[in-house]
Amino acid sequence: MNLFVTGGAGFIGSSFIRHVLSLGQDHRIVNFDKLTYAGNLANLESVAADPNYRFVKGDICDSAAVTAAMQGCDAVVHFAAESHVDRSIYEPGPVIETNITGTFILLQVARKLDLQRFVHISTDEVYGDLAPGQVSDENFHLRPNSPYSASKASADLLVRSFHRTYGFPAIITRSSNNYGPYQFPEKLLPLLISNALEDKHLPVYGDGRQERNWIHVEDNSRGILAVLERGRLGEIYNIGGADVIENLDMVRRLLALLHKPESLIRYVTDRPGHDRRYALDSAKLIRELGWSPRISLADGLLQTVNWYRDNSAWVAAVRDGAYRTYYDKYYENRDSSLRHFNPSGVKAPA
Ligand code: NAD
Ligand code: TYD
Protein backbone atom coordinates (compact mmCIF):
# COMPACT_ATOMS: atom_id res chain seq x y z
CA MET A 1 0.00 0.00 0.00
CA ASN A 2 0.95 3.64 -0.46
CA LEU A 3 0.37 5.09 3.00
CA PHE A 4 -0.37 8.72 3.77
CA VAL A 5 0.78 9.07 7.38
CA THR A 6 -0.05 12.32 9.18
CA GLY A 7 1.98 13.45 12.20
CA GLY A 8 4.73 10.94 11.44
CA ALA A 9 7.42 13.15 12.96
CA GLY A 10 5.83 12.86 16.40
CA PHE A 11 6.29 10.20 19.05
CA ILE A 12 3.86 7.44 17.97
CA GLY A 13 3.81 8.28 14.25
CA SER A 14 7.60 7.99 14.01
CA SER A 15 7.52 4.66 15.85
CA PHE A 16 4.87 3.42 13.41
CA ILE A 17 6.92 4.52 10.38
CA ARG A 18 10.12 2.93 11.70
CA HIS A 19 8.17 -0.26 12.44
CA VAL A 20 6.52 -0.50 9.01
CA LEU A 21 9.73 0.17 7.11
CA SER A 22 11.71 -2.28 9.26
CA LEU A 23 9.41 -5.09 8.12
CA GLY A 24 10.61 -4.65 4.53
CA GLN A 25 7.10 -5.13 3.12
CA ASP A 26 5.74 -3.34 0.07
CA HIS A 27 4.32 -0.37 1.97
CA ARG A 28 5.51 3.04 0.81
CA ILE A 29 5.05 6.01 3.13
CA VAL A 30 4.39 9.71 2.65
CA ASN A 31 4.88 11.39 6.03
CA PHE A 32 2.81 14.59 6.09
CA ASP A 33 3.67 16.69 9.13
CA LYS A 34 3.55 20.38 10.05
CA LEU A 35 6.56 20.05 12.33
CA THR A 36 5.03 21.82 15.33
CA TYR A 37 7.07 21.97 18.55
CA ALA A 38 6.27 18.23 18.91
CA GLY A 39 7.38 17.20 15.42
CA ASN A 40 11.02 16.19 15.11
CA LEU A 41 12.64 14.75 12.00
CA ALA A 42 15.50 13.48 14.17
CA ASN A 43 13.04 10.74 15.20
CA LEU A 44 13.21 9.43 11.62
CA GLU A 45 16.93 9.70 10.92
CA SER A 46 17.20 5.91 10.65
CA VAL A 47 14.69 5.78 7.75
CA ALA A 48 15.27 9.15 6.06
CA ALA A 49 17.19 7.58 3.17
CA ASP A 50 14.80 4.64 2.68
CA PRO A 51 13.46 4.74 -0.91
CA ASN A 52 10.01 3.79 0.44
CA TYR A 53 9.87 6.89 2.65
CA ARG A 54 9.14 10.51 1.73
CA PHE A 55 8.58 13.55 3.96
CA VAL A 56 6.22 16.39 3.04
CA LYS A 57 5.96 19.39 5.35
CA GLY A 58 2.34 20.51 5.59
CA ASP A 59 -0.67 21.31 7.74
CA ILE A 60 -3.66 18.95 7.79
CA CYS A 61 -5.89 22.04 8.00
CA ASP A 62 -4.64 23.10 4.54
CA SER A 63 -6.97 21.31 2.14
CA ALA A 64 -4.98 22.16 -1.01
CA ALA A 65 -1.69 20.93 0.49
CA VAL A 66 -3.35 17.73 1.72
CA THR A 67 -4.94 17.13 -1.70
CA ALA A 68 -1.61 17.56 -3.49
CA ALA A 69 0.32 15.31 -1.13
CA MET A 70 -2.33 12.57 -0.90
CA GLN A 71 -2.44 11.93 -4.66
CA GLY A 72 -1.54 8.31 -5.47
CA CYS A 73 -2.01 7.07 -1.89
CA ASP A 74 -4.20 4.08 -0.98
CA ALA A 75 -4.69 4.57 2.76
CA VAL A 76 -4.40 7.18 5.51
CA VAL A 77 -3.02 6.58 8.99
CA HIS A 78 -3.90 9.73 10.89
CA PHE A 79 -1.71 10.51 13.91
CA ALA A 80 -1.38 14.30 13.59
CA ALA A 81 -2.78 16.09 16.61
CA GLU A 82 -2.12 18.54 19.37
CA SER A 83 -1.64 15.73 21.86
CA HIS A 84 -1.00 17.22 25.30
CA VAL A 85 -3.79 17.63 27.86
CA ASP A 86 -2.06 20.40 29.83
CA ARG A 87 -1.46 22.51 26.74
CA SER A 88 -5.08 21.97 25.70
CA ILE A 89 -6.12 23.48 29.05
CA TYR A 90 -3.81 26.48 28.73
CA GLU A 91 -4.57 27.14 25.03
CA PRO A 92 -7.41 25.10 23.51
CA GLY A 93 -7.60 26.93 20.15
CA PRO A 94 -4.90 25.02 18.22
CA VAL A 95 -6.22 21.76 19.68
CA ILE A 96 -9.70 22.31 18.28
CA GLU A 97 -8.31 23.49 14.94
CA THR A 98 -5.92 20.59 14.30
CA ASN A 99 -7.77 17.76 16.02
CA ILE A 100 -11.28 18.52 14.76
CA THR A 101 -11.00 20.71 11.65
CA GLY A 102 -7.83 18.94 10.50
CA THR A 103 -9.49 15.53 10.80
CA PHE A 104 -12.53 16.81 8.90
CA ILE A 105 -10.33 18.09 6.06
CA LEU A 106 -8.48 14.78 5.83
CA LEU A 107 -11.79 12.89 5.68
CA GLN A 108 -13.06 15.17 2.92
CA VAL A 109 -9.94 14.86 0.79
CA ALA A 110 -9.54 11.12 1.32
CA ARG A 111 -13.17 10.61 0.35
CA LYS A 112 -12.82 12.76 -2.75
CA LEU A 113 -9.69 10.85 -3.81
CA ASP A 114 -11.47 7.56 -3.11
CA LEU A 115 -8.88 6.09 -0.72
CA GLN A 116 -9.40 2.48 0.39
CA ARG A 117 -8.75 2.82 4.12
CA PHE A 118 -8.55 5.53 6.75
CA VAL A 119 -7.21 4.61 10.20
CA HIS A 120 -7.92 7.35 12.72
CA ILE A 121 -5.70 7.28 15.81
CA SER A 122 -7.63 8.13 18.95
CA THR A 123 -7.29 7.72 22.69
CA ASP A 124 -8.74 6.08 25.80
CA GLU A 125 -9.27 9.60 27.15
CA VAL A 126 -12.50 9.91 25.12
CA TYR A 127 -14.16 7.53 27.63
CA GLY A 128 -13.42 9.95 30.48
CA ASP A 129 -12.91 9.17 34.10
CA LEU A 130 -13.49 5.54 35.13
CA ALA A 131 -14.65 4.36 38.57
CA PRO A 132 -12.18 2.28 40.63
CA GLY A 133 -11.76 -1.15 39.02
CA GLN A 134 -13.82 -0.22 35.96
CA VAL A 135 -12.55 -0.84 32.39
CA SER A 136 -13.82 0.63 29.10
CA ASP A 137 -14.50 -1.45 26.00
CA GLU A 138 -15.31 0.06 22.61
CA ASN A 139 -19.01 0.49 23.47
CA PHE A 140 -18.35 2.46 26.66
CA HIS A 141 -19.93 5.94 26.81
CA LEU A 142 -17.95 8.93 25.56
CA ARG A 143 -17.44 11.43 28.39
CA PRO A 144 -14.32 13.45 27.60
CA ASN A 145 -13.29 15.93 30.28
CA SER A 146 -10.46 18.03 28.85
CA PRO A 147 -10.38 20.19 25.70
CA TYR A 148 -7.92 17.61 24.31
CA SER A 149 -10.12 14.57 24.94
CA ALA A 150 -13.23 16.45 23.80
CA SER A 151 -11.48 17.31 20.53
CA LYS A 152 -10.47 13.66 20.03
CA ALA A 153 -14.01 12.44 20.77
CA SER A 154 -15.36 15.03 18.32
CA ALA A 155 -13.00 13.77 15.63
CA ASP A 156 -14.01 10.16 16.39
CA LEU A 157 -17.66 11.09 15.86
CA LEU A 158 -16.87 12.78 12.54
CA VAL A 159 -15.03 9.64 11.41
CA ARG A 160 -18.00 7.53 12.51
CA SER A 161 -20.42 9.78 10.61
CA PHE A 162 -18.37 9.54 7.40
CA HIS A 163 -18.49 5.76 7.60
CA ARG A 164 -22.17 5.62 8.39
CA THR A 165 -23.34 8.33 5.97
CA TYR A 166 -20.99 7.92 3.02
CA GLY A 167 -19.80 4.35 3.47
CA PHE A 168 -16.32 5.84 3.91
CA PRO A 169 -13.81 3.06 4.75
CA ALA A 170 -12.69 4.26 8.17
CA ILE A 171 -11.49 2.49 11.31
CA ILE A 172 -10.66 4.01 14.71
CA THR A 173 -8.00 2.87 17.19
CA ARG A 174 -8.04 4.08 20.79
CA SER A 175 -4.86 3.44 22.69
CA SER A 176 -3.92 3.95 26.31
CA ASN A 177 -0.96 6.03 27.53
CA ASN A 178 2.11 5.29 25.39
CA TYR A 179 5.68 5.38 26.62
CA GLY A 180 9.04 4.65 25.02
CA PRO A 181 11.93 6.36 23.22
CA TYR A 182 11.50 9.68 21.34
CA GLN A 183 8.60 10.99 23.45
CA PHE A 184 8.57 14.75 23.91
CA PRO A 185 9.38 15.60 27.56
CA GLU A 186 6.10 17.39 28.27
CA LYS A 187 4.49 13.98 28.90
CA LEU A 188 4.89 12.28 32.28
CA LEU A 189 7.58 9.66 31.65
CA PRO A 190 10.13 11.61 29.60
CA LEU A 191 9.61 14.65 31.85
CA LEU A 192 10.29 12.59 34.97
CA ILE A 193 13.25 10.72 33.50
CA SER A 194 14.96 13.78 32.08
CA ASN A 195 14.40 15.75 35.31
CA ALA A 196 15.67 12.89 37.47
CA LEU A 197 18.79 12.49 35.33
CA GLU A 198 19.59 16.11 36.24
CA ASP A 199 18.58 15.68 39.90
CA LYS A 200 15.68 18.09 39.37
CA HIS A 201 12.35 17.77 41.14
CA LEU A 202 9.72 15.37 39.82
CA PRO A 203 6.36 17.18 39.73
CA VAL A 204 3.46 14.95 40.78
CA TYR A 205 0.02 16.46 40.18
CA GLY A 206 -2.38 16.39 43.13
CA ASP A 207 -2.07 13.28 45.29
CA GLY A 208 -0.43 11.18 42.56
CA ARG A 209 -3.05 8.43 42.99
CA GLN A 210 -4.43 8.78 39.43
CA GLU A 211 -4.29 5.55 37.44
CA ARG A 212 -3.02 5.21 33.89
CA ASN A 213 -2.88 2.17 31.59
CA TRP A 214 0.63 2.05 30.10
CA ILE A 215 1.53 0.58 26.71
CA HIS A 216 4.92 0.54 25.02
CA VAL A 217 4.76 2.57 21.82
CA GLU A 218 6.07 -0.35 19.73
CA ASP A 219 3.18 -2.55 20.90
CA ASN A 220 0.79 0.20 19.86
CA SER A 221 2.50 0.50 16.44
CA ARG A 222 2.06 -3.25 15.87
CA GLY A 223 -1.60 -2.96 16.85
CA ILE A 224 -2.18 -0.06 14.46
CA LEU A 225 -0.54 -1.96 11.58
CA ALA A 226 -2.73 -5.00 12.31
CA VAL A 227 -5.82 -2.78 12.23
CA LEU A 228 -4.68 -1.12 9.01
CA GLU A 229 -4.09 -4.43 7.26
CA ARG A 230 -6.85 -6.61 8.73
CA GLY A 231 -9.27 -4.51 10.79
CA ARG A 232 -12.95 -4.42 9.89
CA LEU A 233 -14.16 -1.18 8.32
CA GLY A 234 -16.41 0.95 10.53
CA GLU A 235 -15.04 -0.64 13.71
CA ILE A 236 -13.28 0.76 16.75
CA TYR A 237 -10.34 -1.13 18.32
CA ASN A 238 -8.97 -0.38 21.79
CA ILE A 239 -5.20 -0.89 22.09
CA GLY A 240 -4.30 -1.03 25.77
CA GLY A 241 -1.28 -2.21 27.72
CA ALA A 242 -1.42 -4.90 30.40
CA ASP A 243 -0.65 -2.59 33.33
CA VAL A 244 -2.85 -0.05 35.09
CA ILE A 245 -0.87 1.67 37.85
CA GLU A 246 -0.99 4.81 39.96
CA ASN A 247 1.22 7.70 38.89
CA LEU A 248 3.09 7.57 42.21
CA ASP A 249 3.88 3.91 41.62
CA MET A 250 5.27 4.85 38.20
CA VAL A 251 7.37 7.66 39.70
CA ARG A 252 8.84 5.28 42.28
CA ARG A 253 9.65 2.63 39.67
CA LEU A 254 11.49 5.21 37.57
CA LEU A 255 13.43 6.52 40.55
CA ALA A 256 14.48 2.97 41.43
CA LEU A 257 15.67 2.28 37.86
CA LEU A 258 17.61 5.55 37.86
CA HIS A 259 19.02 4.99 41.37
CA LYS A 260 17.66 8.37 42.46
CA PRO A 261 16.10 9.23 45.87
CA GLU A 262 12.37 9.65 46.49
CA SER A 263 13.19 13.05 48.01
CA LEU A 264 13.12 14.35 44.41
CA ILE A 265 9.33 13.97 44.36
CA ARG A 266 7.37 17.25 44.61
CA TYR A 267 3.60 17.30 44.95
CA VAL A 268 2.37 20.21 42.86
CA THR A 269 -0.94 21.82 41.98
CA ASP A 270 -3.29 19.39 40.31
CA ARG A 271 -4.41 19.63 36.69
CA PRO A 272 -7.94 21.12 36.49
CA GLY A 273 -10.50 18.44 35.59
CA HIS A 274 -7.89 15.70 36.05
CA ASP A 275 -9.26 12.22 35.22
CA ARG A 276 -8.57 9.71 38.01
CA ARG A 277 -8.50 6.49 36.04
CA TYR A 278 -8.14 5.15 32.51
CA ALA A 279 -8.16 1.41 31.80
CA LEU A 280 -8.88 -0.21 28.45
CA ASP A 281 -10.47 -3.54 27.65
CA SER A 282 -8.59 -4.65 24.50
CA ALA A 283 -10.21 -8.08 24.19
CA LYS A 284 -11.65 -7.27 20.75
CA LEU A 285 -8.25 -6.60 19.17
CA ILE A 286 -6.80 -9.70 20.83
CA ARG A 287 -9.72 -11.88 19.72
CA GLU A 288 -10.15 -10.58 16.16
CA LEU A 289 -6.62 -9.78 15.06
CA GLY A 290 -4.48 -11.93 17.36
CA TRP A 291 -2.64 -8.90 18.76
CA SER A 292 -1.28 -8.77 22.28
CA PRO A 293 1.25 -6.53 24.01
CA ARG A 294 4.73 -8.09 23.92
CA ILE A 295 6.80 -5.68 26.00
CA SER A 296 6.34 -6.01 29.75
CA LEU A 297 6.28 -2.82 31.79
CA ALA A 298 9.48 -3.84 33.59
CA ASP A 299 11.41 -4.40 30.33
CA GLY A 300 9.87 -1.38 28.62
CA LEU A 301 10.68 1.02 31.44
CA LEU A 302 14.27 -0.21 31.66
CA GLN A 303 14.71 0.20 27.89
CA THR A 304 13.12 3.67 28.00
CA VAL A 305 15.22 4.90 30.91
CA ASN A 306 18.37 3.64 29.20
CA TRP A 307 17.35 5.30 25.92
CA TYR A 308 16.94 8.71 27.58
CA ARG A 309 20.24 8.27 29.41
CA ASP A 310 22.04 7.33 26.18
CA ASN A 311 20.41 10.03 24.05
CA SER A 312 21.12 13.16 26.06
CA ALA A 313 21.79 15.12 22.84
CA TRP A 314 18.27 14.36 21.58
CA VAL A 315 16.81 15.41 24.94
CA ALA A 316 18.93 18.59 25.12
CA ALA A 317 17.87 19.60 21.59
CA VAL A 318 14.13 19.20 22.21
CA ARG A 319 14.31 20.86 25.63
CA ASP A 320 15.82 24.01 24.14
CA GLY A 321 13.80 27.04 23.13
CA ALA A 322 10.02 26.57 23.14
CA TYR A 323 10.14 23.76 25.70
CA ARG A 324 12.17 25.83 28.13
CA THR A 325 9.60 28.66 27.94
CA TYR A 326 6.76 26.17 28.52
CA TYR A 327 8.47 24.52 31.48
CA ASP A 328 9.39 27.79 33.16
CA LYS A 329 5.87 29.15 32.72
CA TYR A 330 3.92 26.17 33.95
CA TYR A 331 6.23 24.40 36.39
CA GLU A 332 8.69 26.86 37.92
CA ASN A 333 5.92 28.84 39.65
CA ARG A 334 3.66 25.91 40.35
CA ASP A 335 3.42 25.26 44.06
CA SER A 336 1.62 22.70 46.14
CA SER A 337 -1.47 24.82 46.71
CA LEU A 338 -4.39 24.59 44.29
CA ARG A 339 -5.29 28.18 45.14
CA HIS A 340 -1.99 29.55 43.88
CA PHE A 341 -1.76 27.85 40.50
CA ASN A 342 -3.36 29.97 37.85
CA PRO A 343 -1.43 29.88 34.57
CA SER A 344 -3.09 31.85 31.77
CA GLY A 345 -6.04 32.59 34.04
CA VAL A 346 -7.21 28.95 34.14
CA LYS A 347 -9.66 28.63 37.03
CA ALA A 348 -8.37 26.08 39.53
CA PRO A 349 -10.93 23.69 41.00
CA ALA A 350 -12.37 24.74 44.39
P1 NAD B 1 3.01 14.06 19.29
O1 NAD B 1 2.57 15.34 19.92
O2 NAD B 1 4.29 13.45 19.70
O3 NAD B 1 3.09 14.24 17.71
C1 NAD B 1 2.10 14.92 16.98
C2 NAD B 1 2.64 15.13 15.56
O4 NAD B 1 1.60 15.77 14.79
C3 NAD B 1 3.86 16.06 15.52
O5 NAD B 1 4.83 15.51 14.64
C4 NAD B 1 3.30 17.36 14.98
O6 NAD B 1 4.27 18.11 14.24
C5 NAD B 1 2.19 16.86 14.08
N1 NAD B 1 1.13 17.87 13.88
C6 NAD B 1 0.49 18.60 14.84
N2 NAD B 1 -0.40 19.43 14.26
C7 NAD B 1 -0.34 19.19 12.91
C8 NAD B 1 -1.04 19.72 11.79
N3 NAD B 1 -1.98 20.68 11.93
N4 NAD B 1 -0.75 19.23 10.56
C9 NAD B 1 0.20 18.26 10.41
N5 NAD B 1 0.91 17.74 11.42
C10 NAD B 1 0.63 18.19 12.66
O7 NAD B 1 1.78 13.06 19.50
P2 NAD B 1 1.81 11.49 19.78
O8 NAD B 1 1.98 11.26 21.21
O9 NAD B 1 2.72 10.84 18.79
O10 NAD B 1 0.28 11.12 19.41
C11 NAD B 1 -0.07 10.71 18.09
C12 NAD B 1 -1.54 10.43 18.05
O11 NAD B 1 -1.87 9.42 18.99
C13 NAD B 1 -2.42 11.64 18.40
O12 NAD B 1 -3.55 11.64 17.56
C14 NAD B 1 -2.82 11.39 19.85
O13 NAD B 1 -4.08 11.99 20.12
C15 NAD B 1 -2.90 9.88 19.86
N6 NAD B 1 -2.66 9.23 21.17
C16 NAD B 1 -1.53 9.50 21.88
C17 NAD B 1 -1.30 8.83 23.08
C18 NAD B 1 -0.03 9.04 23.87
O14 NAD B 1 0.12 8.44 24.94
N7 NAD B 1 0.93 9.82 23.40
C19 NAD B 1 -2.24 7.92 23.57
C20 NAD B 1 -3.40 7.67 22.82
C21 NAD B 1 -3.59 8.34 21.61
P1 TYD C 1 0.40 12.81 30.61
O1 TYD C 1 1.70 12.17 30.25
O2 TYD C 1 0.24 14.28 30.38
O3 TYD C 1 -0.73 11.97 29.89
P2 TYD C 1 -2.34 12.05 30.02
O4 TYD C 1 -2.72 13.26 30.77
O5 TYD C 1 -2.74 12.15 28.59
O6 TYD C 1 -2.75 10.78 30.70
O7 TYD C 1 0.12 12.54 32.15
C1 TYD C 1 0.03 11.21 32.65
C2 TYD C 1 -0.39 11.31 34.10
O8 TYD C 1 0.66 11.93 34.86
C3 TYD C 1 -1.62 12.17 34.33
O9 TYD C 1 -2.39 11.60 35.39
C4 TYD C 1 -1.06 13.51 34.75
C5 TYD C 1 0.21 13.13 35.50
N1 TYD C 1 1.33 14.10 35.42
C6 TYD C 1 1.99 14.49 36.59
O10 TYD C 1 1.64 14.07 37.72
N2 TYD C 1 3.04 15.36 36.48
C7 TYD C 1 3.45 15.87 35.28
O11 TYD C 1 4.40 16.70 35.24
C8 TYD C 1 2.77 15.44 34.09
C9 TYD C 1 3.19 15.96 32.74
C10 TYD C 1 1.72 14.54 34.22
Side-chain angles (χ1 to χ4, degrees), residues 6-15 31-40 43 56-62 66 78-84 94 97-99 102 120-125 148 152 173-179 182-184 186-187 214-215 217 220 224 239:
T6 71
F11 168 51
I12 307 176
S14 65
S15 163
N31 173 17
F32 187 85
D33 194 301
K34 186 181 175 183
L35 298 183
T36 67
Y37 75 93
N40 186 353
N43 301 356
V56 177
K57 185 167 190 277
D59 186 339
I60 58 168
C61 299
D62 178 346
V66 170
H78 173 35
F79 294 94
E82 290 292 337
S83 69
H84 189 34
E97 182 68 10
T98 284
N99 298 6
H120 172 65
I121 308 302
S122 187
T123 166
D124 60 357
E125 303 196 23
Y148 164 71
K152 296 298 289 185
T173 70
R174 292 184 179 141
S175 86
S176 56
N177 282 66
N178 285 230
Y179 72 95
Y182 299 103
Q183 187 170 30
F184 192 80
E186 65 189 356
K187 305 280 167 50
W214 294 99
I215 183 169
V217 66
N220 188 20
I224 292 167
I239 310 182

